[in-house]
Amino acid sequence: MGRPRAILAIRHRLTPALEKLGGHIGYDVRPGARRQGHATAMLAAALPIARSLGISRALVMCDKTNIASQRVIEANGGRLLDITEQKRRYWVPTTSS
């Protein structure tokens, strides 16, 4: 069957650790499947699910140096909250309005 091309996680609640290093939504695309739009589509598909869980804006983050993930988050409406020692943290609305 092979390895999955991508993994997506939606976290219903944020613990203190997730507020610093994880966020509501996490995704990972294996190297051979990157640069094909999978991460952008995955995050877009996750947002309405997060909304259905009562999350009006999702905390999504990436490593400070991960420009590709930064672009994915911003393409989905992410607004930079801050930049920590390790992460760029964004609020992403879960609705288009």
Side-chain angles (χ1 to χ4, degrees), residues 64-77:
K64 267 180 29 175
T65 59
N66 189 338
I67 302 303
S69 195
Q70 175 185 337
R71 289 180 180 150
V72 166
I73 297 166
E74 291 173 356
N76 277 283

Side-chain angles (χ1 to χ4, degrees), residues 71-84:
R71 289 180 180 150
V72 166
I73 297 166
E74 291 173 356
N76 277 283
R79 297 288 175 238
L80 186 64
L81 169 64
D82 61 16
I83 301 173
T84 68

Side-chain angles (χ1 to χ4, degrees), residues 20-51:
K20 292 180 182 177
L21 296 173
H24 285 106
I25 300 171
Y27 51 86
D28 185 41
V29 178
R30 83 169 186 219
R34 291 180 183 159
R35 300 187 55 84
Q36 298 173 28
H38 297 301
T40 302
M42 288 166 46
L43 181 54
L47 293 170
I49 296 168
R51 178 67 176 177

Side-chain angles (χ1 to χ4, degrees), residues 52-71:
S52 75
L53 296 170
I55 301 166
S56 60
R57 61 181 185 164
L59 183 62
V60 182
M61 56 190 73
C62 62
D63 288 343
K64 267 180 29 175
T65 59
N66 189 338
I67 302 303
S69 195
Q70 175 185 337
R71 289 180 180 150

